[in-house]
Amino acid sequence: MIDKNQANEYASKLTQFLTTPSYTQEFYEPYQADHAEASFEDYTQAIQHLVSQLEEEKIKDKDTLCKEIKKLKLPDDHFDC
């Protein structure tokens, strides 16, 4: 179970990726290798969607969050995965 404070912290960390495109680009490149059709905008929208899911408490457990983080090729150590 992810509590509200933890979800807010994770959402904040994800938002940092959205506000720093140059930093996010390094994670997009390996993601694109698996998703050739995905543009950088598609990638940032996927991150934004994950932020929304956390804020709306739709992600209830750490395993679900970690699967999404790994799918997006984000640094999982930032999210205790």
Side-chain angles (χ1 to χ4, degrees):
M1 189 76 178
I2 299 175
D3 68 39
K4 184 71 174 162
N5 289 337
Q6 192 70 55
N8 288 339
E9 182 182 326
Y10 293 145
S12 177
K13 287 180 181 183
L14 286 165
T15 301
Q16 290 175 354
F17 287 102
L18 297 172
T19 59
T20 316
S22 58
Y23 178 58
T24 306
Q25 184 71 35
E26 70 182 82
F27 303 105
Y28 166 65
E29 290 169 5
Y31 175 83
Q32 191 183 32
D34 293 340
H35 304 88
E37 74 291 344
S39 69
F40 187 70
E41 184 176 335
D42 293 335
Y43 183 65
T44 57
Q45 286 176 354
I47 295 172
Q48 180 59 55
H49 179 69
L50 187 54
V51 170
S52 297
Q53 288 184 308
L54 282 166
E55 290 173 345
E56 296 168 10
E57 299 181 27
K58 291 184 177 175
I59 294 182
K60 301 286 187 196
D61 61 74
K62 192 71 152 270
D63 288 341
T64 303
L65 174 66
C66 290
K67 285 177 188 172
E68 292 300 314
I69 294 298
K70 289 177 180 169
K71 189 187 318 178
L72 291 169
K73 308 285 186 190
L74 295 170
D76 53 10
D77 60 329
H78 285 54
F79 301 93
D80 307 316
C81 293

